Amino acid sequence: MKNITYLLIILFSITGCCRDQIVASYKLSENDKNLIPFEQDSTLSYISQQDISFSAKAQQRKLEIIEERIGADSCDLWAIDVFKSSIFINTFELEFEFI
């Protein structure tokens, strides 16, 4: 009887799991990617409203593909392109991330 119980538990755990499947992909166009024009290690110059000039450093632009579930118990996924770059302003110790 114990063997049958273990066999049923193993059978239900194998058949109860589904495989993740991407059902929709949202890709960025080249025009969308060009909205973040910063190249790796490019130095950017800014002038504040108080006429204070400072420079910033751009980080490499990265394209990431994020997969999100449609529902909590769903095996269906959305694949979403995310394009980002970071700007570091050393003078004010600030970091901005453009997504």
Side-chain angles (χ1 to χ4, degrees):
M1 186 68 173
K2 282 186 178 181
N3 290 337
I4 293 175
T5 306
Y6 289 128
L7 183 62
L8 287 175
I9 290 173
I10 291 172
L11 181 65
F12 286 129
S13 30
I14 291 173
T15 59
C17 298
C18 61
R19 293 185 184 188
D20 290 341
Q21 176 179 335
I22 296 175
V23 294
S25 292
Y26 299 97
K27 298 197 176 285
L28 292 172
S29 67
E30 286 303 315
N31 289 336
D32 292 337
K33 291 177 186 177
N34 289 332
L35 292 174
I36 301 178
F38 315 118
E39 294 296 331
Q40 180 177 4
D41 295 331
S42 59
T43 302
L44 310 168
S45 298
Y46 294 98
I47 298 177
S48 71
Q49 292 176 343
Q50 293 80 19
D51 286 335
I52 300 171
S53 64
F54 55 93
S55 63
K57 198 88 157 166
Q59 186 183 18
Q60 173 75 30
R61 299 184 305 172
K62 289 188 264 182
L63 178 65
E64 296 176 359
I65 299 173
I66 297 175
E67 294 179 352
E68 290 190 5
R69 285 198 194 287
I70 294 174
D73 296 328
S74 176
C75 296
D76 296 337
L77 300 172
W78 289 336
I80 303 166
D81 282 355
V82 176
F83 198 62
K84 62 173 80 173
S85 180
S86 296
I87 304 295
F88 299 100
I89 302 173
N90 294 333
T91 306
F92 304 109
E93 296 183 13
L94 295 173
E95 176 183 346
F96 295 97
E97 187 168 60
F98 297 93
I99 301 175

mmCIF file of all heavy atoms in Angstrom, residues 36-81:
data_model
loop_
_atom_site.group_PDB
_atom_site.id
_atom_site.type_symbol
_atom_site.label_atom_id
_atom_site.label_comp_id
_atom_site.label_asym_id
_atom_site.label_seq_id
_atom_site.Cartn_x
_atom_site.Cartn_y
_atom_site.Cartn_z
ATOM 1 N N ILE A 36 17.564 56.194 -26.402
ATOM 2 C CA ILE A 36 18.647 56.237 -25.405
ATOM 3 C C ILE A 36 19.952 56.266 -26.199
ATOM 4 O O ILE A 36 20.481 55.226 -26.571
ATOM 5 C CB ILE A 36 18.590 55.020 -24.461
ATOM 6 C CG1 ILE A 36 17.255 54.990 -23.730
ATOM 7 C CG2 ILE A 36 19.745 55.074 -23.469
ATOM 8 C CD1 ILE A 36 17.079 53.805 -22.813
ATOM 9 N N PRO A 37 20.486 57.462 -26.472
ATOM 10 C CA PRO A 37 21.617 57.577 -27.400
ATOM 11 C C PRO A 37 22.992 57.391 -26.757
ATOM 12 O O PRO A 37 23.987 57.462 -27.455
ATOM 13 C CB PRO A 37 21.473 59.019 -27.908
ATOM 14 C CG PRO A 37 20.903 59.744 -26.739
ATOM 15 C CD PRO A 37 19.979 58.766 -26.063
ATOM 16 N N PHE A 38 23.067 57.174 -25.476
ATOM 17 C CA PHE A 38 24.350 57.159 -24.786
ATOM 18 C C PHE A 38 25.155 55.916 -25.110
ATOM 19 O O PHE A 38 24.657 54.813 -25.023
ATOM 20 C CB PHE A 38 24.148 57.254 -23.269
ATOM 21 C CG PHE A 38 23.151 58.299 -22.877
ATOM 22 C CD1 PHE A 38 22.004 57.952 -22.213
ATOM 23 C CD2 PHE A 38 23.365 59.624 -23.191
ATOM 24 C CE1 PHE A 38 21.077 58.913 -21.854
ATOM 25 C CE2 PHE A 38 22.448 60.587 -22.833
ATOM 26 C CZ PHE A 38 21.299 60.233 -22.171
ATOM 27 N N GLU A 39 26.394 56.115 -25.474
ATOM 28 C CA GLU A 39 27.302 55.004 -25.748
ATOM 29 C C GLU A 39 28.173 54.744 -24.521
ATOM 30 O O GLU A 39 28.293 55.585 -23.641
ATOM 31 C CB GLU A 39 28.185 55.321 -26.955
ATOM 32 C CG GLU A 39 27.419 55.430 -28.259
ATOM 33 C CD GLU A 39 26.764 54.125 -28.683
ATOM 34 O OE1 GLU A 39 27.281 53.046 -28.356
ATOM 35 O OE2 GLU A 39 25.717 54.193 -29.335
ATOM 36 N N GLN A 40 28.824 53.594 -24.495
ATOM 37 C CA GLN A 40 29.644 53.205 -23.357
ATOM 38 C C GLN A 40 30.784 54.186 -23.142
ATOM 39 O O GLN A 40 31.470 54.581 -24.079
ATOM 40 C CB GLN A 40 30.219 51.808 -23.564
ATOM 41 C CG GLN A 40 31.086 51.357 -22.409
ATOM 42 C CD GLN A 40 31.578 49.940 -22.597
ATOM 43 O OE1 GLN A 40 31.329 49.322 -23.611
ATOM 44 N NE2 GLN A 40 32.275 49.435 -21.607
ATOM 45 N N ASP A 41 30.974 54.582 -21.897
ATOM 46 C CA ASP A 41 32.066 55.451 -21.446
ATOM 47 C C ASP A 41 32.097 56.795 -22.165
ATOM 48 O O ASP A 41 33.133 57.443 -22.210
ATOM 49 C CB ASP A 41 33.421 54.750 -21.599
ATOM 50 C CG ASP A 41 33.533 53.541 -20.686
ATOM 51 O OD1 ASP A 41 32.897 53.550 -19.611
ATOM 52 O OD2 ASP A 41 34.241 52.596 -21.037
ATOM 53 N N SER A 42 30.978 57.230 -22.720
ATOM 54 C CA SER A 42 30.968 58.561 -23.312
ATOM 55 C C SER A 42 30.834 59.586 -22.190
ATOM 56 O O SER A 42 30.161 59.358 -21.195
ATOM 57 C CB SER A 42 29.839 58.716 -24.328
ATOM 58 O OG SER A 42 28.592 58.479 -23.725
ATOM 59 N N THR A 43 31.535 60.696 -22.344
ATOM 60 C CA THR A 43 31.492 61.766 -21.353
ATOM 61 C C THR A 43 30.501 62.812 -21.827
ATOM 62 O O THR A 43 30.572 63.295 -22.952
ATOM 63 C CB THR A 43 32.882 62.395 -21.167
ATOM 64 O OG1 THR A 43 33.790 61.355 -20.762
ATOM 65 C CG2 THR A 43 32.852 63.475 -20.111
ATOM 66 N N LEU A 44 29.564 63.130 -20.963
ATOM 67 C CA LEU A 44 28.520 64.090 -21.276
ATOM 68 C C LEU A 44 28.764 65.352 -20.458
ATOM 69 O O LEU A 44 29.136 65.281 -19.294
ATOM 70 C CB LEU A 44 27.146 63.508 -20.948
ATOM 71 C CG LEU A 44 26.873 62.120 -21.508
ATOM 72 C CD1 LEU A 44 25.622 61.524 -20.890
ATOM 73 C CD2 LEU A 44 26.732 62.198 -23.015
ATOM 74 N N SER A 45 28.556 66.508 -21.053
ATOM 75 C CA SER A 45 28.731 67.780 -20.354
ATOM 76 C C SER A 45 27.384 68.449 -20.160
ATOM 77 O O SER A 45 26.564 68.494 -21.091
ATOM 78 C CB SER A 45 29.649 68.702 -21.154
ATOM 79 O OG SER A 45 30.923 68.128 -21.273
ATOM 80 N N TYR A 46 27.175 68.955 -18.967
ATOM 81 C CA TYR A 46 25.919 69.624 -18.634
ATOM 82 C C TYR A 46 26.211 70.972 -17.992
ATOM 83 O O TYR A 46 27.244 71.159 -17.352
ATOM 84 C CB TYR A 46 25.086 68.785 -17.659
ATOM 85 C CG TYR A 46 24.602 67.491 -18.243
ATOM 86 C CD1 TYR A 46 25.282 66.298 -18.002
ATOM 87 C CD2 TYR A 46 23.462 67.447 -19.024
ATOM 88 C CE1 TYR A 46 24.832 65.104 -18.540
ATOM 89 C CE2 TYR A 46 23.014 66.255 -19.562
ATOM 90 C CZ TYR A 46 23.697 65.092 -19.311
ATOM 91 O OH TYR A 46 23.261 63.921 -19.840
ATOM 92 N N ILE A 47 25.265 71.879 -18.132
ATOM 93 C CA ILE A 47 25.329 73.176 -17.450
ATOM 94 C C ILE A 47 24.012 73.344 -16.713
ATOM 95 O O ILE A 47 22.938 73.244 -17.316
ATOM 96 C CB ILE A 47 25.553 74.330 -18.454
ATOM 97 C CG1 ILE A 47 26.892 74.140 -19.167
ATOM 98 C CG2 ILE A 47 25.513 75.677 -17.733
ATOM 99 C CD1 ILE A 47 27.169 75.177 -20.232
ATOM 100 N N SER A 48 24.107 73.611 -15.405
ATOM 101 C CA SER A 48 22.904 73.747 -14.595
ATOM 102 C C SER A 48 22.274 75.123 -14.807
ATOM 103 O O SER A 48 22.848 76.000 -15.478
ATOM 104 C CB SER A 48 23.230 73.546 -13.120
ATOM 105 O OG SER A 48 23.977 74.646 -12.642
ATOM 106 N N GLN A 49 21.122 75.329 -14.225
ATOM 107 C CA GLN A 49 20.441 76.620 -14.322
ATOM 108 C C GLN A 49 21.224 77.725 -13.618
ATOM 109 O O GLN A 49 21.034 78.900 -13.892
ATOM 110 C CB GLN A 49 19.038 76.522 -13.728
ATOM 111 C CG GLN A 49 18.128 75.636 -14.546
ATOM 112 C CD GLN A 49 16.762 75.460 -13.901
ATOM 113 O OE1 GLN A 49 16.580 75.736 -12.721
ATOM 114 N NE2 GLN A 49 15.808 74.987 -14.688
ATOM 115 N N GLN A 50 22.124 77.357 -12.715
ATOM 116 C CA GLN A 50 22.979 78.325 -12.017
ATOM 117 C C GLN A 50 24.322 78.491 -12.733
ATOM 118 O O GLN A 50 25.275 78.988 -12.143
ATOM 119 C CB GLN A 50 23.221 77.890 -10.556
ATOM 120 C CG GLN A 50 21.996 77.926 -9.673
ATOM 121 C CD GLN A 50 21.110 76.701 -9.856
ATOM 122 O OE1 GLN A 50 21.533 75.665 -10.360
ATOM 123 N NE2 GLN A 50 19.858 76.835 -9.452
ATOM 124 N N ASP A 51 24.405 78.061 -13.989
ATOM 125 C CA ASP A 51 25.623 78.136 -14.810
ATOM 126 C C ASP A 51 26.793 77.355 -14.226
ATOM 127 O O ASP A 51 27.947 77.727 -14.394
ATOM 128 C CB ASP A 51 26.030 79.589 -15.059
ATOM 129 C CG ASP A 51 25.126 80.279 -16.063
ATOM 130 O OD1 ASP A 51 24.521 79.566 -16.887
ATOM 131 O OD2 ASP A 51 25.022 81.514 -16.010
ATOM 132 N N ILE A 52 26.517 76.283 -13.545
ATOM 133 C CA ILE A 52 27.559 75.393 -13.042
ATOM 134 C C ILE A 52 27.699 74.265 -14.050
ATOM 135 O O ILE A 52 26.723 73.581 -14.368
ATOM 136 C CB ILE A 52 27.200 74.826 -11.658
ATOM 137 C CG1 ILE A 52 27.029 75.957 -10.645
ATOM 138 C CG2 ILE A 52 28.252 73.830 -11.191
ATOM 139 C CD1 ILE A 52 26.460 75.494 -9.325
ATOM 140 N N SER A 53 28.909 74.107 -14.575
ATOM 141 C CA SER A 53 29.115 73.026 -15.540
ATOM 142 C C SER A 53 29.653 71.789 -14.824
ATOM 143 O O SER A 53 30.425 71.899 -13.870
ATOM 144 C CB SER A 53 30.063 73.466 -16.653
ATOM 145 O OG SER A 53 31.319 73.741 -16.117
ATOM 146 N N PHE A 54 29.228 70.644 -15.279
ATOM 147 C CA PHE A 54 29.694 69.379 -14.708
ATOM 148 C C PHE A 54 29.613 68.320 -15.785
ATOM 149 O O PHE A 54 28.935 68.482 -16.796
ATOM 150 C CB PHE A 54 28.880 68.979 -13.470
ATOM 151 C CG PHE A 54 27.404 68.906 -13.695
ATOM 152 C CD1 PHE A 54 26.805 67.712 -14.045
ATOM 153 C CD2 PHE A 54 26.608 70.038 -13.555
ATOM 154 C CE1 PHE A 54 25.443 67.639 -14.253
ATOM 155 C CE2 PHE A 54 25.247 69.960 -13.751
ATOM 156 C CZ PHE A 54 24.658 68.767 -14.106
ATOM 157 N N SER A 55 30.329 67.248 -15.556
ATOM 158 C CA SER A 55 30.347 66.162 -16.537
ATOM 159 C C SER A 55 29.731 64.909 -15.930
ATOM 160 O O SER A 55 29.632 64.761 -14.714
ATOM 161 C CB SER A 55 31.769 65.877 -17.009
ATOM 162 O OG SER A 55 32.548 65.446 -15.930
ATOM 163 N N ALA A 56 29.314 64.036 -16.811
ATOM 164 C CA ALA A 56 28.724 62.758 -16.409
ATOM 165 C C ALA A 56 29.301 61.670 -17.300
ATOM 166 O O ALA A 56 29.802 61.939 -18.384
ATOM 167 C CB ALA A 56 27.215 62.822 -16.531
ATOM 168 N N LYS A 57 29.226 60.455 -16.837
ATOM 169 C CA LYS A 57 29.746 59.302 -17.566
ATOM 170 C C LYS A 57 28.586 58.351 -17.853
ATOM 171 O O LYS A 57 27.811 58.029 -16.964
ATOM 172 C CB LYS A 57 30.794 58.601 -16.709
ATOM 173 C CG LYS A 57 31.695 57.696 -17.457
ATOM 174 C CD LYS A 57 32.846 58.492 -17.937
ATOM 175 C CE LYS A 57 34.041 57.622 -18.197
ATOM 176 N NZ LYS A 57 35.018 58.329 -18.939
ATOM 177 N N ALA A 58 28.484 57.929 -19.101
ATOM 178 C CA ALA A 58 27.419 56.996 -19.500
ATOM 179 C C ALA A 58 27.926 55.561 -19.419
ATOM 180 O O ALA A 58 29.081 55.282 -19.715
ATOM 181 C CB ALA A 58 26.957 57.311 -20.913
ATOM 182 N N GLN A 59 27.042 54.683 -19.017
ATOM 183 C CA GLN A 59 27.351 53.259 -18.947
ATOM 184 C C GLN A 59 26.864 52.591 -20.232
ATOM 185 O O GLN A 59 26.048 53.142 -20.966
ATOM 186 C CB GLN A 59 26.645 52.645 -17.741
ATOM 187 C CG GLN A 59 27.001 51.215 -17.468
ATOM 188 C CD GLN A 59 26.200 50.660 -16.298
ATOM 189 O OE1 GLN A 59 25.189 51.222 -15.919
ATOM 190 N NE2 GLN A 59 26.654 49.557 -15.754
ATOM 191 N N GLN A 60 27.352 51.420 -20.492
ATOM 192 C CA GLN A 60 26.959 50.633 -21.666
ATOM 193 C C GLN A 60 25.442 50.465 -21.718
ATOM 194 O O GLN A 60 24.822 50.152 -20.713
ATOM 195 C CB GLN A 60 27.629 49.260 -21.607
ATOM 196 C CG GLN A 60 27.191 48.298 -22.670
ATOM 197 C CD GLN A 60 27.781 48.621 -24.021
ATOM 198 O OE1 GLN A 60 28.863 49.155 -24.093
ATOM 199 N NE2 GLN A 60 27.073 48.323 -25.071
ATOM 200 N N ARG A 61 24.872 50.664 -22.887
ATOM 201 C CA ARG A 61 23.454 50.398 -23.063
ATOM 202 C C ARG A 61 23.251 48.894 -23.054
ATOM 203 O O ARG A 61 24.030 48.151 -23.633
ATOM 204 C CB ARG A 61 22.951 50.980 -24.387
ATOM 205 C CG ARG A 61 23.117 52.467 -24.470
ATOM 206 C CD ARG A 61 22.534 53.049 -25.724
ATOM 207 N NE ARG A 61 23.072 52.427 -26.936
ATOM 208 C CZ ARG A 61 22.612 52.651 -28.151
ATOM 209 N NH1 ARG A 61 21.613 53.481 -28.332
ATOM 210 N NH2 ARG A 61 23.148 52.066 -29.193
ATOM 211 N N LYS A 62 22.203 48.426 -22.383
ATOM 212 C CA LYS A 62 21.953 46.994 -22.278
ATOM 213 C C LYS A 62 20.532 46.681 -22.713
ATOM 214 O O LYS A 62 19.599 47.398 -22.366
ATOM 215 C CB LYS A 62 22.117 46.526 -20.833
ATOM 216 C CG LYS A 62 23.528 46.515 -20.330
ATOM 217 C CD LYS A 62 23.580 45.857 -18.980
ATOM 218 C CE LYS A 62 23.540 46.940 -17.932
ATOM 219 N NZ LYS A 62 23.632 46.451 -16.576
ATOM 220 N N LEU A 63 20.404 45.612 -23.446
ATOM 221 C CA LEU A 63 19.089 45.093 -23.807
ATOM 222 C C LEU A 63 18.859 43.829 -22.997
ATOM 223 O O LEU A 63 19.658 42.894 -23.051
ATOM 224 C CB LEU A 63 19.014 44.776 -25.307
ATOM 225 C CG LEU A 63 17.702 44.171 -25.784
ATOM 226 C CD1 LEU A 63 16.557 45.158 -25.628
ATOM 227 C CD2 LEU A 63 17.818 43.722 -27.220
ATOM 228 N N GLU A 64 17.802 43.837 -22.203
ATOM 229 C CA GLU A 64 17.456 42.671 -21.405
ATOM 230 C C GLU A 64 16.084 42.179 -21.838
ATOM 231 O O GLU A 64 15.227 42.968 -22.227
ATOM 232 C CB GLU A 64 17.408 43.035 -19.920
ATOM 233 C CG GLU A 64 18.728 43.479 -19.357
ATOM 234 C CD GLU A 64 18.611 43.916 -17.901
ATOM 235 O OE1 GLU A 64 17.494 43.881 -17.343
ATOM 236 O OE2 GLU A 64 19.629 44.305 -17.327
ATOM 237 N N ILE A 65 15.898 40.895 -21.775
ATOM 238 C CA ILE A 65 14.591 40.316 -22.068
ATOM 239 C C ILE A 65 14.040 39.778 -20.749
ATOM 240 O O ILE A 65 14.632 38.898 -20.127
ATOM 241 C CB ILE A 65 14.692 39.197 -23.115
ATOM 242 C CG1 ILE A 65 15.257 39.767 -24.415
ATOM 243 C CG2 ILE A 65 13.325 38.560 -23.342
ATOM 244 C CD1 ILE A 65 15.570 38.735 -25.464
ATOM 245 N N ILE A 66 12.940 40.375 -20.328
ATOM 246 C CA ILE A 66 12.304 39.990 -19.071
ATOM 247 C C ILE A 66 11.124 39.084 -19.399
ATOM 248 O O ILE A 66 10.341 39.376 -20.295
ATOM 249 C CB ILE A 66 11.837 41.235 -18.299
ATOM 250 C CG1 ILE A 66 13.036 42.087 -17.915
ATOM 251 C CG2 ILE A 66 11.036 40.831 -17.067
ATOM 252 C CD1 ILE A 66 12.664 43.386 -17.259
ATOM 253 N N GLU A 67 11.013 38.009 -18.662
ATOM 254 C CA GLU A 67 9.884 37.107 -18.839
ATOM 255 C C GLU A 67 8.967 37.246 -17.630
ATOM 256 O O GLU A 67 9.406 37.108 -16.496
ATOM 257 C CB GLU A 67 10.363 35.670 -18.994
ATOM 258 C CG GLU A 67 11.154 35.443 -20.266
ATOM 259 C CD GLU A 67 11.660 34.023 -20.410
ATOM 260 O OE1 GLU A 67 11.529 33.230 -19.455
ATOM 261 O OE2 GLU A 67 12.194 33.704 -21.487
ATOM 262 N N GLU A 68 7.700 37.559 -17.889
ATOM 263 C CA GLU A 68 6.718 37.722 -16.818
ATOM 264 C C GLU A 68 5.578 36.736 -17.015
ATOM 265 O O GLU A 68 5.151 36.483 -18.133
ATOM 266 C CB GLU A 68 6.169 39.148 -16.818
ATOM 267 C CG GLU A 68 7.179 40.163 -16.368
ATOM 268 C CD GLU A 68 6.553 41.530 -16.154
ATOM 269 O OE1 GLU A 68 5.318 41.662 -16.267
ATOM 270 O OE2 GLU A 68 7.306 42.457 -15.874
ATOM 271 N N ARG A 69 5.098 36.217 -15.914
ATOM 272 C CA ARG A 69 3.957 35.305 -15.945
ATOM 273 C C ARG A 69 2.667 36.079 -16.148
ATOM 274 O O ARG A 69 2.491 37.161 -15.618
ATOM 275 C CB ARG A 69 3.849 34.536 -14.640
ATOM 276 C CG ARG A 69 4.860 33.483 -14.552
ATOM 277 C CD ARG A 69 4.530 32.442 -13.503
ATOM 278 N NE ARG A 69 5.735 31.677 -13.306
ATOM 279 C CZ ARG A 69 6.202 30.798 -14.177
ATOM 280 N NH1 ARG A 69 5.539 30.553 -15.264
ATOM 281 N NH2 ARG A 69 7.317 30.170 -13.982
ATOM 282 N N ILE A 70 1.753 35.477 -16.894
ATOM 283 C CA ILE A 70 0.452 36.101 -17.124
ATOM 284 C C ILE A 70 -0.404 36.002 -15.865
ATOM 285 O O ILE A 70 -1.138 36.912 -15.533
ATOM 286 C CB ILE A 70 -0.235 35.457 -18.341
ATOM 287 C CG1 ILE A 70 0.576 35.794 -19.592
ATOM 288 C CG2 ILE A 70 -1.664 35.912 -18.484
ATOM 289 C CD1 ILE A 70 0.098 35.113 -20.838
ATOM 290 N N GLY A 71 -0.285 34.930 -15.135
ATOM 291 C CA GLY A 71 -1.020 34.743 -13.879
ATOM 292 C C GLY A 71 -0.153 33.998 -12.889
ATOM 293 O O GLY A 71 0.880 33.430 -13.241
ATOM 294 N N ALA A 72 -0.567 33.990 -11.635
ATOM 295 C CA ALA A 72 0.247 33.367 -10.581
ATOM 296 C C ALA A 72 0.464 31.873 -10.828
ATOM 297 O O ALA A 72 1.549 31.351 -10.605
ATOM 298 C CB ALA A 72 -0.399 33.591 -9.227
ATOM 299 N N ASP A 73 -0.557 31.186 -11.274
ATOM 300 C CA ASP A 73 -0.453 29.737 -11.486
ATOM 301 C C ASP A 73 -0.293 29.371 -12.952
ATOM 302 O O ASP A 73 -0.393 28.205 -13.317
ATOM 303 C CB ASP A 73 -1.698 29.036 -10.930
ATOM 304 C CG ASP A 73 -1.807 29.210 -9.425
ATOM 305 O OD1 ASP A 73 -0.753 29.292 -8.772
ATOM 306 O OD2 ASP A 73 -2.941 29.273 -8.917
ATOM 307 N N SER A 74 -0.050 30.351 -13.778
ATOM 308 C CA SER A 74 0.024 30.120 -15.222
ATOM 309 C C SER A 74 1.427 29.685 -15.633
ATOM 310 O O SER A 74 2.414 30.057 -15.024
ATOM 311 C CB SER A 74 -0.352 31.401 -15.960
ATOM 312 O OG SER A 74 -0.196 31.232 -17.336
ATOM 313 N N CYS A 75 1.485 28.923 -16.693
ATOM 314 C CA CYS A 75 2.760 28.542 -17.295
ATOM 315 C C CYS A 75 3.069 29.412 -18.504
ATOM 316 O O CYS A 75 4.097 29.258 -19.142
ATOM 317 C CB CYS A 75 2.741 27.075 -17.706
ATOM 318 S SG CYS A 75 2.583 25.961 -16.309
ATOM 319 N N ASP A 76 2.134 30.311 -18.850
ATOM 320 C CA ASP A 76 2.309 31.192 -19.995
ATOM 321 C C ASP A 76 3.135 32.413 -19.591
ATOM 322 O O ASP A 76 2.916 33.004 -18.537
ATOM 323 C CB ASP A 76 0.953 31.645 -20.545
ATOM 324 C CG ASP A 76 0.155 30.473 -21.096
ATOM 325 O OD1 ASP A 76 0.768 29.456 -21.457
ATOM 326 O OD2 ASP A 76 -1.086 30.593 -21.172
ATOM 327 N N LEU A 77 4.084 32.785 -20.445
ATOM 328 C CA LEU A 77 4.974 33.906 -20.166
ATOM 329 C C LEU A 77 4.882 34.957 -21.262
ATOM 330 O O LEU A 77 4.623 34.636 -22.422
ATOM 331 C CB LEU A 77 6.427 33.424 -20.085
ATOM 332 C CG LEU A 77 6.776 32.395 -19.034
ATOM 333 C CD1 LEU A 77 8.197 31.909 -19.243
ATOM 334 C CD2 LEU A 77 6.638 32.985 -17.653
ATOM 335 N N TRP A 78 5.128 36.214 -20.878
ATOM 336 C CA TRP A 78 5.336 37.302 -21.816
ATOM 337 C C TRP A 78 6.824 37.584 -21.839
ATOM 338 O O TRP A 78 7.469 37.653 -20.800
ATOM 339 C CB TRP A 78 4.624 38.577 -21.387
ATOM 340 C CG TRP A 78 3.140 38.557 -21.496
ATOM 341 C CD1 TRP A 78 2.375 37.781 -22.310
ATOM 342 C CD2 TRP A 78 2.227 39.368 -20.760
ATOM 343 N NE1 TRP A 78 1.057 38.058 -22.139
ATOM 344 C CE2 TRP A 78 0.929 39.039 -21.196
ATOM 345 C CE3 TRP A 78 2.370 40.336 -19.788
ATOM 346 C CZ2 TRP A 78 -0.208 39.641 -20.678
ATOM 347 C CZ3 TRP A 78 1.239 40.945 -19.281
ATOM 348 C CH2 TRP A 78 -0.026 40.597 -19.728
ATOM 349 N N ALA A 79 7.419 37.765 -22.999
ATOM 350 C CA ALA A 79 8.823 38.164 -23.135
ATOM 351 C C ALA A 79 8.830 39.636 -23.529
ATOM 352 O O ALA A 79 8.259 40.015 -24.545
ATOM 353 C CB ALA A 79 9.530 37.319 -24.175
ATOM 354 N N ILE A 80 9.466 40.471 -22.703
ATOM 355 C CA ILE A 80 9.440 41.919 -22.894
ATOM 356 C C ILE A 80 10.867 42.431 -23.011
ATOM 357 O O ILE A 80 11.713 42.134 -22.160
ATOM 358 C CB ILE A 80 8.733 42.602 -21.708
ATOM 359 C CG1 ILE A 80 7.316 42.038 -21.544
ATOM 360 C CG2 ILE A 80 8.698 44.116 -21.890
ATOM 361 C CD1 ILE A 80 6.663 42.390 -20.242
ATOM 362 N N ASP A 81 11.153 43.207 -24.079
ATOM 363 C CA ASP A 81 12.466 43.846 -24.236
ATOM 364 C C ASP A 81 12.554 45.060 -23.317
ATOM 365 O O ASP A 81 11.632 45.876 -23.272
ATOM 366 C CB ASP A 81 12.672 44.331 -25.672
ATOM 367 C CG ASP A 81 13.026 43.210 -26.632
ATOM 368 O OD1 ASP A 81 13.202 42.071 -26.167
ATOM 369 O OD2 ASP A 81 13.122 43.489 -27.837
#
